[in-house]
Amino acid sequence: MSETQVTLAANAAARVSAIAAKQGKPAILRLSVEGGGCSGFQYKFGLADAPEEGDTIAETDGVQLLVDDVSLGLLEGSVVEYVESLGGAAFKVTNPQAASGCGCGSSFAI
């Protein structure tokens, strides 16, 4: 496990904390990248019980963000935020490596 250049914004940390409390789980968010989506890669979010071997950890306000070593290369320098708009609410990744993305913001290309 190591420190990372991936950042969890305070608003995202607060939302993870609220969701985890409702589900009786630790405040740990896992972010990974998978092939697919309309732009080539897609972000996958989920609550985790604990870090795994090889995870990189970013922590904000006591909430951990975990990124596996395979996904880290595609996420370096990214910021995870929680945004609310008229269209709904979701976690959003601002990824400086993404050359393009889809309209919904859940997939990207490099």
Side-chain angles (χ1 to χ4, degrees):
M1 292 179 272
S2 61
E3 293 299 316
T4 181
Q5 294 292 329
V6 179
T7 304
L8 182 64
N11 61 354
R15 185 63 181 153
V16 170
S17 183
I19 292 169
K22 283 183 182 179
Q23 294 185 10
K25 293 190 168 209
I28 302 172
L29 179 67
R30 177 171 295 285
L31 170 60
S32 59
V33 175
E34 296 180 341
C38 52
S39 295
F41 295 103
Q42 60 187 358
Y43 302 111
K44 181 179 175 187
F45 293 96
L47 290 180
D49 292 321
E52 296 176 4
E53 185 69 32
D55 280 346
T56 298
I57 302 170
E59 189 166 328
T60 302
D61 299 332
V63 177
Q64 292 183 332
L65 172 66
L66 308 179
V67 179
D68 63 87
D69 57 353
V70 174
S71 300
L72 184 60
L74 298 170
L75 293 168
E76 197 71 35
S78 295
V79 177
V80 178
E81 300 174 280
Y82 183 73
V83 294
E84 296 182 65
S85 67
L86 292 175
F91 290 103
K92 175 186 173 196
V93 178
T94 303
N95 187 342
Q97 296 188 57
S100 63
C102 65
C104 67
S106 64
S107 68
F108 66 101
I110 298 215

Coordinates of all heavy atoms in Angstrom, one line a residue:
M1 N 0.8 -1.2 0.0 CA 0.0 0.0 0.0 C 0.9 1.2 0.0 O 1.9 1.3 0.7 CB -0.9 0.0 1.2 CG -2.0 -1.1 1.2 SD -3.0 -1.1 2.6 CE -2.1 -2.2 3.7
S2 N 0.5 2.2 -0.8 CA 1.3 3.4 -0.9 C 0.4 4.6 -1.0 O -0.8 4.5 -1.2 CB 2.2 3.3 -2.1 OG 1.5 3.2 -3.3
E3 N 1.0 5.8 -0.9 CA 0.3 7.1 -1.0 C 0.1 7.3 -2.5 O 0.8 6.8 -3.4 CB 1.1 8.2 -0.4 CG 1.1 8.1 1.1 CD -0.2 8.2 1.8 OE1 -1.1 9.0 1.4 OE2 -0.5 7.4 2.7
T4 N -0.9 8.1 -2.9 CA -1.2 8.3 -4.3 C -1.4 9.8 -4.7 O -1.6 10.6 -3.8 CB -2.5 7.5 -4.6 OG1 -2.8 7.7 -6.0 CG2 -3.7 8.0 -3.8
Q5 N -1.4 10.0 -6.0 CA -1.7 11.3 -6.5 C -3.2 11.4 -6.8 O -3.6 12.4 -7.4 CB -0.9 11.5 -7.8 CG 0.6 11.6 -7.5 CD 1.0 12.9 -6.8 OE1 0.3 13.9 -6.9 NE2 2.0 12.8 -6.0
V6 N -4.0 10.4 -6.5 CA -5.4 10.4 -6.7 C -6.0 11.1 -5.4 O -5.6 10.7 -4.3 CB -6.0 9.0 -6.9 CG1 -7.5 9.1 -7.0 CG2 -5.4 8.4 -8.1
T7 N -6.9 12.0 -5.5 CA -7.4 12.8 -4.4 C -8.9 12.6 -4.2 O -9.7 12.5 -5.2 CB -7.2 14.3 -4.6 OG1 -5.8 14.5 -4.9 CG2 -7.6 15.1 -3.5
L8 N -9.3 12.4 -3.0 CA -10.7 12.4 -2.7 C -11.2 13.7 -2.1 O -10.7 14.1 -1.1 CB -11.0 11.2 -1.6 CG -12.4 11.0 -1.2 CD1 -13.2 10.5 -2.4 CD2 -12.4 10.0 0.0
A9 N -12.0 14.4 -2.8 CA -12.5 15.7 -2.4 C -13.3 15.6 -1.1 O -13.9 14.6 -0.8 CB -13.3 16.4 -3.5
A10 N -13.4 16.7 -0.3 CA -14.1 16.7 0.9 C -15.6 16.3 0.8 O -16.2 15.6 1.6 CB -13.9 18.0 1.7
N11 N -16.2 16.8 -0.3 CA -17.6 16.6 -0.5 C -17.9 15.1 -0.8 O -18.9 14.5 -0.4 CB -18.2 17.5 -1.6 CG -17.6 17.3 -3.0 OD1 -16.6 16.6 -3.2 ND2 -18.2 18.0 -3.9
A12 N -17.0 14.5 -1.5 CA -17.1 13.0 -1.8 C -16.8 12.2 -0.6 O -17.5 11.2 -0.3 CB -16.1 12.6 -2.9
A13 N -15.9 12.6 0.3 CA -15.6 11.9 1.5 C -16.8 12.0 2.4 O -17.2 11.0 3.0 CB -14.4 12.5 2.2
A14 N -17.5 13.1 2.5 CA -18.7 13.2 3.3 C -19.8 12.3 2.8 O -20.5 11.7 3.6 CB -19.2 14.7 3.3
R15 N -20.0 12.2 1.5 CA -21.0 11.3 0.9 C -20.7 9.9 1.2 O -21.6 9.1 1.5 CB -21.2 11.6 -0.6 CG -22.3 10.8 -1.2 CD -23.6 11.2 -0.6 NE -24.7 10.4 -1.2 CZ -25.8 10.1 -0.7 NH1 -26.1 10.6 0.5 NH2 -26.7 9.4 -1.3
V16 N -19.4 9.5 1.0 CA -19.0 8.1 1.3 C -19.3 7.8 2.8 O -19.8 6.7 3.1 CB -17.5 7.8 1.0 CG1 -17.1 6.5 1.5 CG2 -17.3 8.0 -0.5
S17 N -19.0 8.7 3.7 CA -19.2 8.5 5.1 C -20.6 8.3 5.4 O -21.0 7.4 6.1 CB -18.6 9.7 5.8 OG -18.7 9.5 7.2
A18 N -21.5 9.1 4.8 CA -23.0 8.9 5.0 C -23.5 7.6 4.5 O -24.3 6.9 5.2 CB -23.7 10.1 4.3
I19 N -23.1 7.2 3.3 CA -23.5 5.9 2.7 C -23.0 4.8 3.5 O -23.8 3.9 3.8 CB -23.0 5.8 1.2 CG1 -23.7 6.8 0.3 CG2 -23.3 4.4 0.7 CD1 -23.1 6.9 -1.0
A20 N -21.8 4.8 3.9 CA -21.2 3.7 4.7 C -21.9 3.6 6.1 O -22.2 2.5 6.5 CB -19.7 3.9 4.9
A21 N -22.2 4.7 6.7 CA -22.9 4.7 8.0 C -24.3 4.0 7.9 O -24.7 3.2 8.7 CB -23.0 6.1 8.5
K22 N -25.0 4.4 6.8 CA -26.3 3.8 6.6 C -26.2 2.3 6.4 O -27.1 1.6 6.7 CB -27.0 4.4 5.4 CG -27.6 5.8 5.6 CD -28.3 6.3 4.4 CE -28.8 7.7 4.7 NZ -29.5 8.3 3.5
Q23 N -25.2 1.8 5.7 CA -25.0 0.4 5.4 C -24.2 -0.4 6.5 O -24.0 -1.6 6.4 CB -24.3 0.2 4.0 CG -25.2 0.7 2.9 CD -24.6 0.4 1.5 OE1 -23.6 -0.3 1.4 NE2 -25.1 1.0 0.5
G24 N -23.8 0.4 7.5 CA -23.0 -0.3 8.6 C -21.6 -0.8 8.1 O -21.2 -1.8 8.6
K25 N -21.0 -0.1 7.2 CA -19.7 -0.5 6.6 C -18.7 0.5 7.0 O -19.0 1.7 7.3 CB -19.8 -0.7 5.1 CG -20.7 -1.8 4.7 CD -20.5 -2.1 3.2 CE -21.2 -3.4 2.9 NZ -20.6 -4.0 1.7
P26 N -17.4 0.2 6.8 CA -16.3 1.2 7.0 C -16.4 2.2 5.9 O -16.9 1.9 4.8 CB -15.0 0.4 6.9 CG -15.4 -1.0 6.7 CD -16.9 -1.1 6.6
A27 N -15.9 3.4 6.1 CA -16.0 4.5 5.2 C -14.8 4.4 4.2 O -13.8 5.1 4.3 CB -16.0 5.9 5.9
I28 N -14.9 3.4 3.3 CA -13.8 3.1 2.4 C -14.4 3.0 1.0 O -15.3 2.1 0.8 CB -13.1 1.8 2.7 CG1 -12.5 1.8 4.1 CG2 -12.0 1.5 1.7 CD1 -11.9 0.5 4.6
L29 N -14.0 3.8 0.1 CA -14.5 3.8 -1.3 C -13.4 3.2 -2.2 O -12.2 3.6 -2.2 CB -14.8 5.2 -1.8 CG -15.3 5.3 -3.2 CD1 -16.7 4.7 -3.4 CD2 -15.4 6.8 -3.6
R30 N -13.8 2.2 -3.0 CA -12.8 1.7 -4.0 C -13.2 2.2 -5.4 O -14.3 2.2 -5.8 CB -12.9 0.1 -4.1 CG -12.0 -0.5 -5.1 CD -11.9 -2.0 -5.0 NE -11.3 -2.4 -3.8 CZ -10.0 -2.3 -3.6 NH1 -9.2 -1.8 -4.5 NH2 -9.5 -2.8 -2.4
L31 N -12.2 2.7 -6.1 CA -12.3 3.2 -7.5 C -11.4 2.4 -8.3 O -10.2 2.2 -8.0 CB -11.9 4.7 -7.5 CG -11.7 5.3 -8.9 CD1 -13.0 5.2 -9.7 CD2 -11.2 6.7 -8.8
S32 N -12.0 1.9 -9.4 CA -11.2 1.1 -10.4 C -11.6 1.5 -11.8 O -12.6 2.2 -12.0 CB -11.4 -0.4 -10.2 OG -12.7 -0.8 -10.3
V33 N -10.8 1.1 -12.7 CA -11.0 1.3 -14.1 C -11.2 0.0 -14.8 O -10.4 -0.9 -14.6 CB -9.9 2.1 -14.8 CG1 -10.1 2.3 -16.3 CG2 -9.7 3.5 -14.1
E34 N -12.2 -0.1 -15.7 CA -12.5 -1.3 -16.4 C -12.6 -0.9 -17.9 O -13.0 0.2 -18.2 CB -13.8 -2.0 -16.0 CG -13.8 -2.4 -14.5 CD -15.1 -3.1 -14.1 OE1 -16.1 -2.9 -14.8 OE2 -15.1 -3.8 -13.1
G35 N -12.4 -1.9 -18.8 CA -12.6 -1.7 -20.2 C -14.1 -1.6 -20.4 O -14.9 -2.3 -19.8
G36 N -14.5 -0.8 -21.4 CA -15.9 -0.7 -21.7 C -16.4 0.7 -21.7 O -15.6 1.7 -21.7
G37 N -17.7 0.9 -21.6 CA -18.2 2.3 -21.7 C -18.2 2.8 -23.1 O -17.6 2.2 -24.0
C38 N -18.8 3.9 -23.3 CA -18.9 4.4 -24.7 C -17.6 5.1 -25.2 O -17.4 5.3 -26.3 CB -20.0 5.4 -24.8 SG -20.1 6.7 -23.6
S39 N -16.6 5.3 -24.2 CA -15.4 5.9 -24.6 C -14.1 5.0 -24.5 O -13.0 5.5 -24.7 CB -15.1 7.2 -23.8 OG -16.1 8.2 -24.1
G40 N -14.3 3.8 -24.1 CA -13.2 2.9 -24.0 C -12.9 2.3 -22.6 O -12.6 1.2 -22.4
F41 N -12.9 3.2 -21.6 CA -12.7 2.8 -20.2 C -13.9 3.4 -19.4 O -14.4 4.4 -19.8 CB -11.4 3.4 -19.6 CG -10.2 2.9 -20.3 CD1 -9.5 3.6 -21.2 CD2 -9.7 1.6 -20.0 CE1 -8.3 3.2 -21.8 CE2 -8.5 1.1 -20.5 CZ -7.8 1.9 -21.5
Q42 N -14.2 2.7 -18.3 CA -15.2 3.2 -17.4 C -14.8 3.1 -16.0 O -14.0 2.3 -15.6 CB -16.5 2.5 -17.6 CG -16.6 1.1 -17.4 CD -17.9 0.4 -17.8 OE1 -18.8 1.1 -18.2 NE2 -18.0 -0.9 -17.6
Y43 N -15.3 4.1 -15.2 CA -15.0 4.1 -13.8 C -15.9 3.2 -13.0 O -17.1 3.1 -13.4 CB -15.1 5.5 -13.2 CG -14.2 6.5 -13.9 CD1 -14.8 7.5 -14.7 CD2 -12.8 6.5 -13.7 CE1 -13.9 8.5 -15.3 CE2 -12.0 7.4 -14.3 CZ -12.6 8.4 -15.1 OH -11.8 9.3 -15.7
K44 N -15.4 2.5 -12.0 CA -16.3 1.6 -11.2 C -16.0 2.0 -9.7 O -14.9 2.1 -9.3 CB -15.9 0.2 -11.4 CG -16.8 -0.8 -10.6 CD -16.4 -2.2 -10.9 CE -17.3 -3.1 -10.0 NZ -16.8 -4.5 -10.1
F45 N -17.1 2.3 -9.0 CA -17.1 2.7 -7.6 C -17.8 1.6 -6.8 O -18.8 1.0 -7.2 CB -17.8 4.0 -7.4 CG -17.2 5.2 -8.0 CD1 -17.6 5.7 -9.2 CD2 -16.2 5.9 -7.3 CE1 -17.1 6.8 -9.8 CE2 -15.6 7.0 -7.9 CZ -16.1 7.5 -9.1
G46 N -17.3 1.4 -5.6 CA -17.9 0.5 -4.6 C -17.4 0.7 -3.2 O -16.2 1.1 -3.1
L47 N -18.1 0.3 -2.2 CA -17.6 0.3 -0.9 C -16.8 -0.9 -0.7 O -17.0 -1.9 -1.2 CB -18.8 0.4 0.1 CG -19.6 1.6 0.2 CD1 -20.7 1.5 1.3 CD2 -18.7 2.8 0.6
A48 N -15.7 -0.8 0.1 CA -14.8 -1.9 0.4 C -14.8 -2.1 1.9 O -15.1 -1.2 2.7 CB -13.4 -1.6 -0.1
D49 N -14.4 -3.3 2.3 CA -14.3 -3.6 3.8 C -12.9 -3.2 4.3 O -12.8 -2.9 5.5 CB -14.6 -5.1 4.0 CG -16.1 -5.4 3.8 OD1 -16.9 -4.5 4.1 OD2 -16.4 -6.4 3.2
A50 N -11.9 -3.4 3.4 CA -10.5 -3.1 3.9 C -9.6 -3.0 2.6 O -10.0 -3.5 1.6 CB -10.0 -4.2 4.8
P51 N -8.5 -2.3 2.8 CA -7.5 -2.3 1.7 C -7.0 -3.7 1.3 O -7.0 -4.6 2.2 CB -6.4 -1.4 2.2 CG -7.0 -0.7 3.3 CD -8.0 -1.6 3.9
E52 N -6.7 -3.9 0.1 CA -6.1 -5.2 -0.4 C -4.6 -5.0 -0.7 O -4.2 -3.8 -0.9 CB -6.8 -5.7 -1.6 CG -8.3 -6.0 -1.3 CD -9.1 -6.5 -2.5 OE1 -8.5 -6.6 -3.6 OE2 -10.3 -6.7 -2.4
E53 N -3.9 -6.0 -0.8 CA -2.5 -6.0 -1.2 C -2.3 -5.2 -2.5 O -3.0 -5.5 -3.5 CB -1.9 -7.4 -1.4 CG -0.4 -7.4 -1.6 CD 0.4 -7.0 -0.4 OE1 0.0 -7.2 0.7 OE2 1.5 -6.4 -0.7
G54 N -1.4 -4.3 -2.6 CA -1.2 -3.5 -3.8 C -2.0 -2.2 -3.9 O -1.8 -1.5 -4.9
D55 N -3.0 -2.0 -3.0 CA -3.8 -0.8 -3.1 C -3.0 0.4 -2.8 O -2.2 0.4 -1.9 CB -5.0 -0.9 -2.1 CG -6.1 -1.8 -2.6 OD1 -6.2 -2.1 -3.8 OD2 -7.0 -2.1 -1.8
T56 N -3.4 1.5 -3.5 CA -2.9 2.8 -3.1 C -4.0 3.5 -2.4 O -5.2 3.4 -2.8 CB -2.5 3.6 -4.4 OG1 -1.4 2.9 -5.0 CG2 -2.0 5.0 -4.1
I57 N -3.7 4.2 -1.3 CA -4.7 4.8 -0.5 C -4.6 6.3 -0.4 O -3.5 6.9 -0.2 CB -4.6 4.3 1.0 CG1 -4.7 2.7 1.0 CG2 -5.6 4.9 1.9 CD1 -4.3 2.1 2.3
A58 N -5.7 7.0 -0.6 CA -5.8 8.4 -0.4 C -6.8 8.6 0.7 O -7.8 7.9 0.8 CB -6.2 9.2 -1.6
E59 N -6.6 9.5 1.7 CA -7.5 9.7 2.8 C -7.9 11.1 3.0 O -7.0 12.0 2.9 CB -6.9 9.1 4.1 CG -7.8 9.1 5.2 CD -7.4 8.3 6.4 OE1 -6.6 7.3 6.2 OE2 -7.7 8.6 7.5
T60 N -9.2 11.4 3.1 CA -9.7 12.7 3.4 C -10.7 12.6 4.5 O -11.7 11.8 4.4 CB -10.4 13.3 2.1 OG1 -9.4 13.3 1.0 CG2 -10.9 14.7 2.3
D61 N -10.5 13.4 5.5 CA -11.5 13.4 6.7 C -11.8 12.0 7.2 O -13.0 11.8 7.5 CB -12.8 14.2 6.2 CG -12.5 15.6 5.8 OD1 -11.5 16.2 6.3 OD2 -13.3 16.1 5.0
G62 N -10.9 11.2 7.3 CA -11.1 9.8 7.8 C -11.7 8.8 6.9 O -11.9 7.7 7.2
V63 N -11.9 9.2 5.6 CA -12.5 8.3 4.6 C -11.4 7.9 3.7 O -10.6 8.8 3.2 CB -13.6 9.0 3.8 CG1 -14.1 8.1 2.7 CG2 -14.8 9.4 4.7
Q64 N -11.3 6.6 3.4 CA -10.2 6.2 2.5 C -10.7 6.0 1.1 O -11.8 5.5 0.9 CB -9.6 4.8 3.0 CG -8.9 5.0 4.3 CD -8.3 3.6 4.7 OE1 -8.8 2.6 4.4 NE2 -7.2 3.7 5.4
L65 N -9.9 6.3 0.1 CA -10.1 6.0 -1.3 C -9.0 5.0 -1.7 O -7.9 5.3 -1.5 CB -10.0 7.3 -2.2 CG -10.0 7.0 -3.7 CD1 -11.4 6.5 -4.1 CD2 -9.7 8.3 -4.4
L66 N -9.5 3.8 -2.2 CA -8.5 2.8 -2.6 C -8.5 2.7 -4.1 O -9.5 2.7 -4.8 CB -9.0 1.4 -2.0 CG -9.3 1.3 -0.5 CD1 -9.8 -0.1 -0.2 CD2 -8.1 1.7 0.3
V67 N -7.3 2.5 -4.7 CA -7.1 2.3 -6.1 C -6.2 1.2 -6.3 O -5.1 1.2 -5.7 CB -6.6 3.6 -6.8 CG1 -6.4 3.4 -8.3 CG2 -7.5 4.8 -6.5
D68 N -6.6 0.2 -7.1 CA -5.7 -1.0 -7.3 C -4.5 -0.6 -8.2 O -4.6 0.4 -8.9 CB -6.5 -2.2 -7.9 CG -7.0 -1.8 -9.2 OD1 -6.3 -2.0 -10.3 OD2 -8.2 -1.4 -9.3
D69 N -3.4 -1.3 -8.2 CA -2.2 -1.0 -8.9 C -2.5 -1.0 -10.4 O -1.8 -0.2 -11.2 CB -1.0 -1.8 -8.5 CG -1.3 -3.3 -8.7 OD1 -2.4 -3.7 -9.0 OD2 -0.3 -4.1 -8.6
V70 N -3.4 -1.8 -11.0 CA -3.6 -1.8 -12.4 C -4.3 -0.5 -12.8 O -4.0 0.1 -13.8 CB -4.5 -3.0 -12.8 CG1 -4.9 -3.0 -14.2 CG2 -3.7 -4.3 -12.5
S71 N -5.3 0.0 -12.0 CA -6.1 1.2 -12.4 C -5.3 2.5 -12.1 O -5.5 3.5 -12.8 CB -7.4 1.2 -11.5 OG -8.2 0.1 -11.8
L72 N -4.3 2.4 -11.2 CA -3.6 3.6 -10.8 C -3.0 4.4 -12.0 O -3.0 5.6 -12.1 CB -2.6 3.3 -9.7 CG -1.8 4.5 -9.2 CD1 -2.8 5.5 -8.5 CD2 -0.8 4.1 -8.2
G73 N -2.4 3.6 -12.9 CA -1.7 4.3 -14.0 C -2.7 5.1 -14.9 O -2.3 6.1 -15.5
L74 N -4.0 4.7 -14.9 CA -5.0 5.5 -15.7 C -5.6 6.6 -14.9 O -6.4 7.4 -15.4 CB -6.1 4.5 -16.2 CG -5.6 3.4 -17.1 CD1 -6.7 2.4 -17.4 CD2 -5.1 4.0 -18.4
L75 N -5.4 6.6 -13.6 CA -6.0 7.6 -12.7 C -5.1 8.6 -12.0 O -5.5 9.5 -11.3 CB -6.8 6.8 -11.6 CG -7.9 6.0 -12.0 CD1 -8.4 5.0 -10.9 CD2 -9.1 6.9 -12.5
E76 N -3.8 8.5 -12.3 CA -2.8 9.3 -11.6 C -3.2 10.8 -11.9 O -3.4 11.2 -13.0 CB -1.4 9.0 -12.2 CG -0.3 9.6 -11.3 CD -0.2 8.9 -10.0 OE1 -0.3 7.6 -9.9 OE2 0.2 9.5 -9.0
G77 N -3.3 11.6 -10.8 CA -3.6 13.0 -10.9 C -5.1 13.3 -10.8 O -5.5 14.5 -10.8
S78 N -5.9 12.3 -10.7 CA -7.4 12.5 -10.7 C -7.9 13.0 -9.4 O -7.3 12.7 -8.3 CB -8.1 11.2 -11.1 OG -7.8 10.8 -12.4
V79 N -9.0 13.6 -9.4 CA -9.8 14.1 -8.2 C -11.2 13.5 -8.3 O -11.8 13.5 -9.3 CB -9.9 15.6 -8.2 CG1 -10.7 16.0 -7.0 CG2 -8.5 16.2 -8.2
V80 N -11.6 12.8 -7.2 CA -12.9 12.3 -7.1 C -13.8 13.2 -6.3 O -13.4 13.6 -5.2 CB -12.9 10.9 -6.4 CG1 -14.3 10.3 -6.3 CG2 -12.0 9.9 -7.2
E81 N -14.9 13.7 -6.9 CA -15.8 14.6 -6.3 C -17.2 14.0 -6.2 O -17.5 13.0 -6.9 CB -15.9 15.9 -7.0 CG -14.5 16.6 -7.1 CD -14.6 17.9 -8.0 OE1 -14.5 17.7 -9.2 OE2 -14.8 19.0 -7.4
Y82 N -18.1 14.6 -5.5 CA -19.5 14.2 -5.5 C -20.2 15.4 -5.9 O -20.1 16.5 -5.4 CB -19.9 13.8 -4.1 CG -21.4 13.3 -4.0 CD1 -21.7 12.1 -4.6 CD2 -22.4 14.1 -3.5 CE1 -23.0 11.7 -4.5 CE2 -23.7 13.7 -3.5 CZ -24.0 12.5 -4.0 OH -25.3 12.0 -4.0
V83 N -21.0 15.3 -7.0 CA -21.7 16.4 -7.6 C -23.2 16.2 -7.6 O -23.6 15.0 -7.9 CB -21.2 16.7 -9.0 CG1 -19.8 17.2 -9.0 CG2 -21.3 15.5 -9.9
E84 N -23.9 17.2 -7.3 CA -25.4 17.2 -7.4 C -25.9 18.2 -8.4 O -25.4 19.3 -8.4 CB -26.0 17.4 -6.0 CG -25.6 16.4 -5.0 CD -26.3 16.7 -3.6 OE1 -27.5 16.6 -3.6 OE2 -25.5 17.0 -2.7
S85 N -26.8 17.8 -9.3 CA -27.3 18.7 -10.3 C -28.8 18.3 -10.5 O -29.3 17.4 -9.9 CB -26.5 18.6 -11.6 OG -26.7 17.4 -12.2
L86 N -29.4 19.1 -11.4 CA -30.8 18.8 -11.8 C -30.9 17.4 -12.4 O -32.0 16.7 -12.2 CB -31.4 19.8 -12.8 CG -31.5 21.2 -12.2 CD1 -31.9 22.2 -13.3 CD2 -32.5 21.2 -11.1
G87 N -29.9 16.9 -13.0 CA -29.9 15.6 -13.6 C -29.7 14.4 -12.6 O -29.8 13.3 -13.0
G88 N -29.3 14.7 -11.4 CA -29.1 13.7 -10.4 C -27.8 14.0 -9.6 O -27.2 15.0 -9.8
A89 N -27.4 13.0 -8.9 CA -26.2 13.1 -8.1 C -25.3 11.9 -8.3 O -25.8 10.8 -8.5 CB -26.5 13.2 -6.6
A90 N -24.0 12.1 -8.3 CA -23.0 11.0 -8.6 C -21.6 11.4 -8.2 O -21.3 12.6 -8.1 CB -23.1 10.7 -10.1
F91 N -20.8 10.4 -8.1 CA -19.4 10.6 -7.9 C -18.8 10.9 -9.3 O -19.2 10.3 -10.3 CB -18.7 9.4 -7.4 CG -19.0 9.1 -5.9 CD1 -19.9 8.1 -5.6 CD2 -18.4 9.9 -4.9 CE1 -20.2 7.9 -4.3 CE2 -18.7 9.7 -3.6 CZ -19.7 8.7 -3.3
K92 N -17.9 11.9 -9.4 CA -17.3 12.4 -10.7 C -15.8 12.3 -10.5 O -15.3 12.8 -9.5 CB -17.8 13.8 -11.0 CG -17.2 14.3 -12.2 CD -17.6 15.8 -12.4 CE -16.8 16.4 -13.6 NZ -16.8 17.8 -13.6
V93 N -15.2 11.8 -11.6 CA -13.7 11.8 -11.6 C -13.2 12.8 -12.6 O -13.6 12.8 -13.8 CB -13.2 10.4 -12.0 CG1 -11.7 10.4 -12.1 CG2 -13.7 9.3 -11.1
T94 N -12.4 13.7 -12.1 CA -11.8 14.7 -13.0 C -10.4 14.1 -13.3 O -9.5 14.1 -12.4 CB -11.7 16.1 -12.4 OG1 -13.0 16.5 -12.1 CG2 -11.0 17.1 -13.3
N95 N -10.2 13.6 -14.5 CA -9.0 12.8 -14.8 C -8.2 13.6 -15.8 O -8.6 13.7 -17.0 CB -9.4 11.5 -15.4 CG -8.2 10.6 -15.6 OD1 -7.0 11.0 -15.7 ND2 -8.5 9.3 -15.7
P96 N -7.0 14.1 -15.4 CA -6.2 14.9 -16.4 C -5.6 14.1 -17.5 O -5.2 14.6 -18.5 CB -5.1 15.5 -15.5 CG -4.9 14.5 -14.4 CD -6.3 14.0 -14.1
Q97 N -5.6 12.8 -17.4 CA -5.1 11.9 -18.5 C -6.1 11.6 -19.5 O -5.8 11.1 -20.6 CB -4.6 10.6 -17.9 CG -3.4 10.8 -16.9 CD -2.9 9.4 -16.5 OE1 -2.5 8.7 -17.4 NE2 -2.8 9.2 -15.3
A98 N -7.4 11.8 -19.2 CA -8.5 11.5 -20.2 C -8.4 12.5 -21.4 O -8.5 13.7 -21.2 CB -9.8 11.6 -19.5
A99 N -8.3 11.9 -22.6 CA -8.2 12.7 -23.8 C -9.7 13.1 -24.2 O -9.9 14.1 -24.8 CB -7.5 12.0 -24.9
S100 N -10.6 12.2 -23.9 CA -12.0 12.5 -24.2 C -12.9 11.7 -23.2 O -12.4 10.8 -22.6 CB -12.3 12.1 -25.6 OG -12.2 10.7 -25.8
G101 N -14.1 12.1 -23.2 CA -15.1 11.4 -22.3 C -16.5 11.4 -22.9 O -16.7 12.0 -23.9
C102 N -17.4 10.7 -22.2 CA -18.7 10.7 -22.7 C -19.5 11.8 -22.0 O -19.1 12.4 -21.0 CB -19.4 9.3 -22.4 SG -19.5 8.9 -20.7
G103 N -20.7 12.0 -22.4 CA -21.6 13.0 -21.9 C -21.9 12.8 -20.4 O -22.1 13.7 -19.7
C104 N -22.1 11.5 -20.0 CA -22.5 11.3 -18.6 C -21.3 11.3 -17.7 O -21.5 11.3 -16.5 CB -23.2 9.9 -18.6 SG -22.1 8.5 -18.9
G105 N -20.1 11.3 -18.2 CA -18.9 11.4 -17.3 C -18.5 10.1 -16.7 O -17.6 10.1 -15.8
S106 N -19.1 9.0 -17.1 CA -18.7 7.7 -16.4 C -17.7 6.9 -17.3 O -17.2 5.9 -16.8 CB -19.9 6.8 -16.2 OG -20.5 6.5 -17.4
S107 N -17.3 7.4 -18.5 CA -16.3 6.7 -19.2 C -15.4 7.7 -19.9 O -15.7 8.8 -20.0 CB -16.9 5.7 -20.3 OG -17.6 6.4 -21.3
F108 N -14.2 7.2 -20.3 CA -13.2 8.1 -20.9 C -12.3 7.3 -21.8 O -12.3 6.1 -21.8 CB -12.4 8.7 -19.7 CG -11.5 7.8 -19.0 CD1 -10.2 7.7 -19.2 CD2 -12.1 7.0 -18.0 CE1 -9.4 6.8 -18.5 CE2 -11.3 6.1 -17.2 CZ -9.9 6.0 -17.5
A109 N -11.5 8.1 -22.6 CA -10.5 7.5 -23.5 C -9.2 8.2 -23.2 O -9.2 9.4 -22.8 CB -10.9 7.7 -24.9
I110 N -8.1 7.5 -23.4 CA -6.7 8.1 -23.2 C -6.1 8.3 -24.6 O -6.2 7.5 -25.4 CB -5.9 7.2 -22.3 CG1 -6.6 7.2 -20.9 CG2 -4.5 7.7 -22.2 CD1 -5.8 7.1 -19.7

